[in-house]
Amino acid sequence: GENVEQHPSTLSVQEGDSAVIKCTYSDSASNYFPWYKQELGKRPQLIIDIRSNVGEKKDQRIAVTLNKTAKHFSLHITETQPEDSAVYFCAASKEENNFNKFYFGSGTKLNVKP
Amino acid sequence: GAVVSQHPSWVICKSGTSVKIECRSLDFQATTMFWYRQFPKQSLMLMATSNEGSKATYEQGVEKDKFLINHASLTLSTLTVTSAHPEDSSFYICSAPNGGWSTFGSGTRLTVV
């Protein structure tokens, strides 16, 4: 099956700085890569995603890059704010039987210091 | 947007009892539901995939007799933790694919005492 690795496990940045979280995956057939933000005890919330036919996607302060050859993708958050503090999960998936089965990374706890 | 309603949000049960967790898709049909378990400070681990009208498929290492999954209709999937033990205490969360996206339930925090 798919194996997703995520680094770093914890990340502490100063407000206004940028944060980068990196993930690698093992299954070259994976073609959809979402990123989720999870606050303590709550459901994961999709914040951005990218499909294998593009190399980069940006949404305001958040961007994701994908390198299919190297099988890695990254989340970039610019101008971080305290409310960005949460656990972030990357995931990789491929369509199986008309749906995507997700495999999650181990998570990164982001702490933005005011 | 698409919503998956999950109940209960938290439950405390005695060791040896069974607990049922329900996930309902409110405005779309979920022929498939993914069930995840998340231990404190860890990632979401896929436990099983339920499919309406057929048997659930379980990930390696997940006991199918302990975690009973039923997908009774196109809008309801249930996970029953049978003979729960303290080590089953965890955050259980369901997710339904919907048009290429994945909509998560709100999660159930199970504590077995």
Side-chain angles (χ1 to χ4, degrees):
Chain A
E2 174 67 277
N3 181 41
V4 179
E5 295 191 357
Q6 182 172 346
H7 300 281
S9 57
T10 59
L11 179 59
S12 188
V13 300
Q14 204 67 39
E15 182 178 1
D17 289 350
S18 296
V20 180
I21 303 170
K22 298 182 179 181
C23 287
T24 61
Y25 61 100
S26 60
D27 190 346
S28 57
S30 291
N31 55 12
Y32 176 63
F33 308 92
W35 284 89
Y36 291 88
K37 175 183 179 182
Q38 186 181 30
E39 296 177 359
L40 190 63
K42 297 185 178 180
R43 78 186 81 189
Q45 300 276 5
L46 178 70
I47 55 172
I48 196 167
D49 58 3
I50 191 167
R51 296 188 183 275
S52 59
N53 57 345
V54 297
E56 186 174 357
K57 183 176 179 180
K58 189 173 181 180
D59 182 5
Q60 299 182 342
R61 297 187 295 110
I62 298 174
V64 58
T65 58
L66 170 65
N67 183 326
K68 284 195 300 181
T69 304
K71 294 205 282 290
H72 68 69
F73 56 113
S74 302
L75 176 71
H76 304 253
I77 306 175
T78 59
E79 300 172 28
T80 54
Q81 301 167 4
E83 49 266 38
D84 294 330
S85 296
V87 178
Y88 291 80
F89 292 99
C90 63
S93 71
K94 61 180 178 181
E95 189 171 306
E96 293 181 25
N97 299 321
N98 297 320
F99 58 79
N100 286 355
K101 181 185 286 189
F102 291 86
Y103 295 90
F104 286 85
S106 52
T108 297
K109 185 175 182 180
L110 174 64
N111 179 36
V112 180
K113 295 178 286 186
Chain B
V3 174
V4 172
S5 176
Q6 183 171 348
H7 296 281
S9 56
W10 61 270
V11 57
I12 301 174
C13 72
K14 290 185 178 180
S15 186
T17 60
S18 295
V19 174
K20 180 185 281 188
I21 302 169
E22 291 189 351
C23 279
R24 293 180 183 272
S25 57
L26 295 187
D27 48 7
F28 67 101
Q29 293 182 335
T31 56
T32 298
M33 191 75 73
F34 299 117
W35 287 94
Y36 296 88
R37 178 170 54 185
Q38 185 178 34
F39 291 109
K41 299 183 181 180
Q42 294 189 26
S43 188
L44 295 92
M45 299 299 298
L46 181 64
M47 298 174 63
T49 304
S50 75
N51 299 290
E52 190 271 337
S54 62
K55 290 184 179 180
T57 56
Y58 291 80
E59 297 297 303
Q60 193 172 7
V62 178
E63 300 175 60
K64 59 180 66 178
D65 292 333
K66 181 169 183 62
F67 298 99
L68 301 180
I69 289 175
N70 182 271
H71 202 123
S73 72
L74 289 172
T75 58
L76 175 63
S77 177
T78 61
L79 167 67
T80 301
V81 183
T82 63
S83 188
H85 289 97
E87 56 264 33
D88 298 324
S89 298
S90 187
F91 187 66
Y92 293 86
I93 192 165
C94 60
S95 170
N98 180 30
W101 303 91
S102 192
T103 301
F104 283 89
S106 52
T108 298
R109 185 161 300 283
L110 170 63
T111 302
V112 185
V113 296

